[in-house]
């Protein structure tokens, strides 16, 4: 029987890790993800897991230890944020190329300077081309569920890629809300045991990792990663459907909220979705046909789903919690590309919001919609909540 409790996104991630009981967790705490390894270390100290918890001297060492353990055949998890994620950067593409199915709780925080410990998506967006799967969660329940599902997704033989499970720092990570937890045995049965391919410690079948690949084979290795990423969607849908049958909780790749008859749609990710949905309800009560499209899976990018939902609309607002200095904001650029590839032309505005943890209010969401309703379209990037 499922149990209910009130907890934070960080502790929900840690509880999922306890139930998963990974072989290895290597971590170096950094705000706002600190609660995850801290809470998990309590589980280790109390004997609730038999995980080898490796406390290292830096985030770079943490991800290096995770990579080594994963290719050795272990089930591996970790967590980090912001500058810690940046310090790990060198190892991220290596983990993907080695096909190491690491599950990584990434608590989004801005990358300084100036130093800022609050939320935006600059840390995960900096890693969007490193070959990792990216899932963005709206609330703590989704964080908990995604950590569990990601083990199966990452370890699937047709995927074998690491996964970022992203949540908004100090918003989802530290706010307490009701969560429904699975029983330990249910989680154990759902994830099963890892069956590694080509583990480094299989001495009877020796393999090499870290070999030099020059012009002869490097391209082919990258192509294998590309094809594996293409398999993610099918595997995700199968596993999320199985999870839905177990829990009654469904997590589509993209979540469409009142978009079917909408003339104007706002596209967003993560915790700020709630404010956009509230704006949708308010404006619909006033007679405006508006809707919200939340992108849950950012890598691989679900361009077909997005294009299908947005085709035929009169206007689109794409809201990014990250800036791409010198280019279009990340989500905006991807959405525009999806529309172009589908042969669809819809006026689309780009909005950057919430950098460094700046609050995102109902009136900010309304502003994006009213621009569309009033026909105020412009190729210039706009800013919500910016001090003038």
């Amino acid at each position: 029987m499922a149990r209910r409790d009130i907890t934070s996104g960080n502790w929900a991630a840690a509880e999922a890790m306890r139930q998963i009981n990974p072989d290895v967790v290597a971590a170096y705490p950094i705000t706002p993800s600190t609660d995850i390894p801290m809470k998990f270390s309590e589980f280790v100290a109390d004997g609730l897991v038999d995980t080898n918890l490796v406390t290292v001297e830096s985030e770079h060492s943490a991800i290096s230890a995770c990579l080594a353990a994963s290719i050795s055949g272990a089930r591996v998890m970790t967590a980090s944020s912001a500058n810690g994620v940046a310090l790990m950067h060198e190892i991220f593409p290596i983990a993907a190329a080695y096909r190491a199915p690491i599950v990584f709780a990434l608590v989004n925080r801005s990358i300084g300077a100036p130093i800022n410990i609050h939320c935006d998506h600059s840390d995960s967006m900096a890693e969007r081309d490193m070959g990792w799967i990216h899932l963005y969660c709206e609330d703590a329940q989704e964080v908990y569920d995604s950590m569990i599902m990601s083990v199966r997704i990452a370890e699937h033989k047709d995927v074998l890629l690491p996964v970022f499970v992203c949540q908004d720092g100090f918003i989802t990570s530290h706010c307490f809300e009701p969560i429904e937890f699975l029983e330990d045995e249910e989680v154990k049965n759902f994830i099963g045991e890892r069956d590694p391919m080509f583990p480094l410690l299989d001495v009877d079948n020796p393999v090499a990792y870290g070999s030099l690949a020059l012009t002869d084979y490097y391209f082919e290795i990258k192509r294998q990663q590309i094809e594996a990423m293409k398999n993610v969607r099918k595997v995700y849908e199968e596993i999320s459907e199985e999870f839905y049958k177990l829990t009654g909780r469904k997590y589509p790749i993209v979540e469409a909220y009142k978009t079917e008859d909408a003339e104007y749609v706002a596209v967003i990710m993560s915790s700020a979705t709630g404010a956009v949905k509230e704006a949708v309800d308010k404006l619909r009560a006033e007679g405006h046909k508006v809707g919200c499209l939340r992108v849950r899976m950012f890598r691989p990018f679900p361009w077909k789903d997005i294009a299908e939902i947005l085709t035929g609309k009169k206007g689109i607002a794409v809201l990014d919690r990250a800036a791409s200095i010198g280019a279009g904001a990340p989500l905006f650029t991807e959405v525009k590309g999806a529309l172009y590839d589908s042969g669809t032309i819809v006026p689309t505005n780009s909005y950057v919001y919430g950098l460094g943890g700046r609050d995102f209010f109902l009136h900010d969401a309304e502003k994006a919609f009213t621009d569309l309703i009033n026909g105020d379209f412009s190729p210039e990037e706009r800013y919500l909540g910016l001090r003038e």
Side-chain angles (χ1 to χ4, degrees):
M1 180 179 178
R3 59 186 172 87
R4 292 175 174 83
D5 203 349
I6 296 178
T7 193
S8 68
N10 274 349
W11 284 7
E15 177 66 4
M17 291 168 67
R18 181 192 69 78
Q19 294 179 307
I20 292 164
N21 191 17
D23 300 304
V24 173
V25 169
Y28 185 87
I30 181 173
T31 303
S33 65
T34 303
D35 279 349
I36 299 175
M38 185 175 72
K39 191 68 175 176
F40 189 76
S41 69
E42 293 180 14
F43 298 145
V44 175
D46 292 342
L48 300 179
V49 294
D50 54 14
T51 302
N52 184 357
L53 177 63
V54 186
T55 54
V56 292
E57 78 285 357
S58 74
E59 292 89 353
H60 189 281
S61 296
I63 192 63
S64 297
C66 286
L67 174 58
S70 183
I71 62 175
S72 297
R75 177 170 281 164
V76 179
M77 306 182 81
T78 190
S80 193
S81 301
N83 299 60
V85 172
L87 186 57
M88 294 174 166
H89 172 79
E90 180 188 22
I91 307 302
F92 287 146
I94 300 172
Y98 284 2
R99 311 297 290 279
I102 300 164
V103 176
F104 190 122
L106 197 160
V107 184
N108 286 119
R109 169 188 151 186
S110 63
I111 295 181
I115 295 172
N116 182 291
I117 63 169
H118 294 283
C119 176
D120 62 40
H121 296 164
S122 54
D123 49 5
S124 57
M125 285 299 167
E127 309 304 333
R128 62 186 181 270
D129 295 326
M130 293 301 103
W132 287 54
I133 299 164
H134 288 232
L135 301 177
Y136 284 78
C137 301
E138 183 178 358
D139 54 33
Q141 181 73 67
E142 189 172 349
V143 171
Y144 170 77
D145 293 341
S146 297
M147 292 290 287
I148 295 168
M149 285 190 287
S150 291
V151 172
R152 289 273 306 277
I153 296 165
E155 294 178 3
H156 194 284
K157 292 294 194 291
D158 293 336
V159 176
L160 288 176
L161 292 172
V163 182
F164 289 130
V165 178
C166 301
Q167 61 173 311
D168 284 350
F170 287 114
I171 303 170
T172 312
S173 68
H174 283 65
C175 291
F176 278 63
E177 56 186 297
I179 297 181
E180 184 175 282
F181 294 103
L182 294 168
E183 296 294 336
D184 292 358
E185 197 66 23
E186 289 178 307
V187 174
K188 181 179 179 181
N189 291 337
F190 182 82
I191 62 172
E193 297 290 332
R194 185 183 175 192
D195 179 19
M197 294 181 67
F198 312 116
L200 189 62
L201 296 184
D202 183 356
V203 295
D204 294 325
N205 298 283
V207 294
Y209 284 88
S211 303
L212 179 66
L214 297 177
T215 54
D216 46 3
Y217 282 110
Y218 183 87
F219 202 158
E220 284 72 19
I221 293 169
K222 293 294 114 178
R223 173 62 187 274
Q224 288 180 346
Q225 288 179 249
I226 292 167
E227 293 305 312
M229 190 64 83
K230 289 179 180 178
N231 293 335
V232 170
R233 180 194 177 94
K234 180 176 181 292
V235 170
Y236 176 89
E237 288 178 338
E238 291 172 355
I239 292 170
S240 63
E241 181 64 23
E242 186 179 337
F243 192 82
Y244 168 66
K245 291 176 180 177
L246 175 65
T247 66
R249 297 189 289 274
K250 199 171 188 67
Y251 295 105
I253 289 171
V254 296
E255 178 194 357
Y257 182 73
K258 300 185 179 180
T259 59
E260 190 171 338
D261 67 337
E263 296 176 339
Y264 306 100
V265 176
V267 184
I268 197 164
M269 299 196 298
S270 295
S271 64
T273 305
V276 176
K277 289 177 178 177
E278 187 177 354
V280 167
D281 292 342
K282 184 174 183 290
L283 290 168
R284 277 192 171 260
E286 298 171 5
H288 301 290
K289 292 183 177 181
V290 295
C292 173
L293 175 60
R294 177 172 75 97
V295 178
R296 168 168 160 76
M297 180 184 287
F298 186 74
R299 283 292 183 272
F301 193 73
W303 67 272
K304 290 183 179 178
D305 305 71
I306 290 170
E308 182 179 342
I309 291 168
L310 297 180
T311 295
K313 306 308 181 188
K314 292 183 178 180
I316 301 162
V318 182
L319 283 64
D320 278 89
R321 200 165 202 146
S324 185
I325 298 170
L331 181 59
F332 170 75
T333 303
E334 299 282 7
V335 171
K336 289 280 282 187
L339 293 171
Y340 180 87
D341 287 347
S342 69
T344 299
I345 298 176
V346 181
T348 306
N349 286 343
S350 174
Y351 297 85
V352 172
Y353 74 97
L355 299 188
R358 182 66 55 85
D359 285 332
F360 180 74
F361 295 106
L362 172 61
H363 64 77
D364 294 315
E366 284 186 89
K367 173 65 167 61
F369 279 121
T370 54
D371 285 348
L372 301 180
I373 293 166
N374 294 333
D376 183 6
F377 298 105
S378 169
E380 296 297 321
E381 189 170 86
R382 307 178 189 207
Y383 308 98
L384 297 170
L386 181 70
R387 301 185 191 280
E388 298 297 339

